[in-house]
């Protein structure tokens, strides 16, 4: 698990969990299996699971399978469902 609790700009690719803590400020590109935002993220985000906690904010474009936003959490941008999830939705709707 990677926990960010400071200011950071750049590209992060992880096959684990990435947490942006309450004092975290991350700008750039983030790809991970699971992402938890309790601070601030701005940029491009791709994950199987994204949780935006009550004090978290995500600004930018996200590509995800699962999204959870607690009361108070903020999201502004575009969202796309990952291909695997789209196929599952199409199968269930038939």
């Amino acid at each position: 698990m990677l926990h960010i609790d400071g200011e950071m700009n750049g590209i992060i690719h992880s096959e684990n969990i990435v947490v942006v803590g309450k004092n975290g400020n991350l700008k750039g590109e983030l790809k991970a299996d699971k992402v938890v935002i309790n601070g601030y993220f701005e940029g491009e985000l791709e994950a199987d699971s994204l949780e935006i906690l009550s004090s978290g904010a995500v600004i930018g474009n996200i590509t995800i399978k699962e999204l959870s936003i607690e009361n108070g959490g903020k999201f502004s941008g575009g969202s796309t469902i990952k291909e695997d999830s789209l196929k599952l939705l199409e199968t269930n709707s038939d």
Side-chain angles (χ1 to χ4, degrees):
M1 179 172 77
L2 173 63
H3 189 99
I4 300 165
D5 232 351
E7 195 165 317
M8 188 174 171
N9 295 319
I11 298 171
I12 296 174
H13 290 197
S14 173
E15 293 183 6
N16 291 305
I17 300 169
V18 175
V19 176
V20 177
K22 211 166 201 170
N23 298 314
N25 185 332
L26 175 60
K27 293 182 182 178
E29 179 182 299
L30 174 56
K31 289 185 181 181
D33 284 346
K34 180 176 181 177
V35 176
V36 179
I37 306 291
N38 199 19
Y40 179 84
F41 173 82
E42 183 177 336
E44 301 289 321
L45 189 151
E46 182 177 336
D48 287 342
S49 173
L50 170 61
E51 288 182 43
I52 303 173
L53 302 181
S54 61
S55 63
V58 173
I59 311 297
N61 296 314
I62 61 173
T63 303
I64 51 164
K65 286 184 184 177
E66 299 174 0
L67 173 62
S68 169
I69 304 175
E70 285 186 354
N71 284 339
K74 295 170 182 56
F75 170 67
S76 177
S79 63
T80 304
I81 298 174
K82 278 189 158 188
E83 288 298 316
D84 319 3
S85 298
L86 283 176
K87 290 176 188 165
L88 190 65
L89 285 173
E90 290 169 358
T91 304
N92 290 336
S93 66
D94 290 343

